[in-house]
Amino acid sequence: MQHLVDISPVLGAYDGKPKNGQPRPFGNWVKPRYARRMTGSTLDWNNEQRAGAAVLAPSGRVDESTADAFKEHLLTAMESEPATAVIDLAGVDYMSSRGLRALTLAQRAGQDAGTTIVLARPNDTMREILAISRYDMVFRVADTIEDALGN
């Protein structure tokens, strides 16, 4: 049987580089691009009415600790039945799959209320998340709020 230290570089679990003269412990040392340790993130909101549309601007991370509040806020906004709801993603650093599910539920509620949801101003991370999840095919994504409003 081979020793784990010998085969672990193949598995990618051990880089074999000594740290301070001591071998590094086992574990994946690749820093994930999006994952962070959950620390009880907060999500702030700024809502306004513009040109007859609701502009909803969350700020922070939409992760496991904030996804339920994100969903509830979106669903509450759909209850007022605006013709258009613009979700300004400029302040969103990250969105987990639960946040994407909240967008799906908001879209369903919006369809029932006759509301069109437009995602606006996603940063590079959010653009990638939307592209990977194919949500950029489900929602209209605008570069600016004015474009989202049709101005």
Side-chain angles (χ1 to χ4, degrees), residues 70-134:
F70 180 71
K71 176 187 73 171
E72 293 304 320
H73 194 92
L74 292 176
L75 293 177
T76 300
M78 295 305 111
E79 289 175 0
S80 64
E81 300 182 358
T84 304
V86 176
I87 302 173
D88 183 1
L89 298 174
V92 177
D93 302 326
Y94 168 79
M95 185 176 291
S96 71
S97 60
R98 287 188 61 198
L100 295 172
R101 176 168 162 57
L103 287 176
T104 301
L105 295 174
Q107 184 187 37
R108 288 181 188 162
Q111 286 174 343
D112 292 343
T115 300
T116 301
I117 296 177
V118 181
L119 306 179
R121 301 188 326 150
N123 60 33
D124 291 339
T125 300
M126 282 305 303
R127 279 194 189 279
E128 188 172 353
I129 291 170
L130 294 172
I132 289 170
S133 64
R134 310 282 287 176

Side-chain angles (χ1 to χ4, degrees), residues 38 40 47-48 58 63 75 97 109 131 133 137 144:
M38 287 180 32
N47 298 339
E48 63 179 282
D63 57 21
L75 293 177
S97 60
S133 64
M137 303 297 227
T144 65

